[in-house]
Amino acid sequence: MGVLRSTQSLQAEVDELRASLMVGAGWRPSGGHAHAKRAPGDEPGAASARTVCVTGGISFVGFAVVDRLLRHGYTVRLALETQEDMDKLREMEMFGEDGRDGVWTVMANVMDPESLHRAFDGCSGVFHTSGFVDPGGMSGYTHPNFSIPKKEPELEDSLIRIDTDQSDPGNLPCNCWFVGKHMARLEAQAAERVIEACVRTGSVRKCVFTSSLLACVWRQNYPHDRRFPTIIDENCWSDESFCRDNKLWFALGKTAAEKAAWRAARGRDLKLVTICPALVTGPGFRRRNSTASIAYLKGARSMLADGLLATANVETVAEAHVRAFEAMGDNTAGGRYICYDHVVQRPEEFAELERQLGLPSRGVAVQGADDRPARFELCNRKLARLMSSRRRCTYDTYYSVAFD
């Protein structure tokens, strides 16, 4: 959703996006400011098997998905929510007369079914990569200017005061009141409306939904005395009550949103796949994805101790989205897919990750992390089979701990 940024930070983000595209994808700067370009013959309502819509297309993950789709020969419609998003694209100067073909934009609000329907009309598929992320990033869903709706007094109990917690990088001192549960509920509502819009739009037959590994890993009452680690794969779901009780708002939002998407798609004429990436890293992720990253790391020390803290390069995540979308055509892809490149196992790696995100590293080793086996083991075999069955993914190399 709309996030307030300073002029300096916005310009830095624009510069980072421009640099990454110029180096990695062959984008050419245009001769002047221009609107995003509309592909020839790709008008609203004109259904095309190679035309897709991407929500959140200028986010860190969304932009990588857009770029990957263009490389695969798709025409991409960017669904932008705010004028700020449009201004950012114009400042990038990547979609002008001399810029890259195959991309054009439409304004759409994920909470407005009518605007979503207009955005999706004529597309064969939708990639829903957008989500609610706060500008502070301290608790997962925080916004100092957020107010509780007057007609929803039951939300009063969701006001959470975040205190300084030296054991958790997600708990940083802040003087704001937060409405975590309400933001999580909004994300679930947005997911439901996106799926409903997909079902309502006659041209749309497939949807790839960006969830999170956090929608799989948070559970209570796991056995502590098992001889072998518990496998965490796409069949596992995070416990919403556990997330709520422990104020894991980002995980709660992703879990609730994905479940809402599956409920909305059940029994409908729509193929749905969800991708559950770990902490998304890659070039420039500190600048372009810091709020989501800090939100993800709420409870990171527990994840590290249990073998559940993992990272996924943004290129791997983008390729997984496109692979799943293409494989849905012949029904060889379906359900959920866990996506990660590397499991963080050493406190030193975690400290480096904190440093890359500008978080204060306390230099305290996780108790028991080095002298006992992890209670859990992540498994992404399902995605690995999908990726290898079509074309070997070239982004399976983990780049040490130089996350930025």
Side-chain angles (χ1 to χ4, degrees), residues 28-34 93-99:
R28 302 186 306 276
S30 67
H33 293 282
E93 301 180 4
M94 294 295 177
F95 298 104
E97 194 171 307
D98 299 319

Side-chain angles (χ1 to χ4, degrees), residues 168-229:
D168 190 335
N171 277 345
L172 300 180
C174 185
N175 296 321
C176 306
W177 291 91
F178 306 121
V179 194
K181 284 190 286 187
H182 183 60
M183 295 299 286
R185 191 171 75 177
L186 284 179
E187 184 155 5
Q189 289 176 351
E192 183 176 12
R193 291 175 187 181
V194 166
I195 298 301
E196 291 290 346
C198 288
V199 172
R200 177 186 170 190
T201 307
S203 62
V204 175
R205 289 293 176 264
K206 299 183 288 184
C207 178
V208 179
F209 185 98
T210 308
S211 182
S212 173
L213 180 60
L214 294 183
C216 308
V217 301
W218 289 114
R219 294 286 299 276
Q220 52 190 344
N221 300 324
Y222 272 120
H224 286 70
D225 56 352
R226 289 191 53 164
R227 183 175 179 181
F228 301 104

Side-chain angles (χ1 to χ4, degrees), residues 134-148 155-164 170-183 247 249 298:
D134 59 283
M138 306 309 176
S139 68
Y141 291 91
T142 68
H143 200 311
N145 298 320
F146 194 90
S147 59
I148 297 177
L155 294 176
E156 291 290 346
D157 67 339
S158 67
L159 282 173
I160 304 298
R161 182 75 171 188
I162 300 298
D163 298 318
T164 303
N171 277 345
L172 300 180
C174 185
N175 296 321
C176 306
W177 291 91
F178 306 121
V179 194
K181 284 190 286 187
H182 183 60
M183 295 299 286
K247 305 179 181 63
W249 305 124
K298 179 87 183 278

Side-chain angles (χ1 to χ4, degrees), residues 241-321:
S241 296
F242 181 86
C243 293
R244 191 176 296 108
D245 293 343
N246 290 275
K247 305 179 181 63
L248 299 166
W249 305 124
F250 191 78
L252 176 63
K254 293 302 181 184
T255 305
E258 189 185 349
K259 286 184 176 180
W262 282 113
R263 286 195 300 268
R266 186 178 299 124
R268 316 291 284 275
D269 187 20
L270 178 73
K271 294 179 180 179
L272 176 65
V273 158
T274 58
I275 306 296
C276 302
L279 177 67
V280 183
T281 61
F285 92 107
R286 173 182 176 179
R287 179 179 296 173
R288 294 172 53 198
N289 204 43
S290 61
T291 51
S293 298
I294 295 173
Y296 188 103
L297 290 176
K298 179 87 183 278
R301 290 181 179 272
S302 295
M303 287 190 282
L304 175 62
D306 288 332
L308 296 173
L309 182 59
T311 61
N313 186 274
V314 68
E315 294 288 354
T316 304
V317 177
E319 182 71 12
H321 279 71

Side-chain angles (χ1 to χ4, degrees), residues 24 42 44 52 60 63 105 108-109 117 123 140 146 154 173 177 213 215 242 268 277 293 326 332 334 345:
D42 187 36
V52 296
F60 187 53
F63 214 96
T105 63
N109 188 324
H117 173 63
C123 297
F146 194 90
E154 71 275 11
W177 291 91
L213 180 60
F242 181 86
R268 316 291 284 275
S293 298
E326 294 182 337
T332 57
Q345 297 178 323

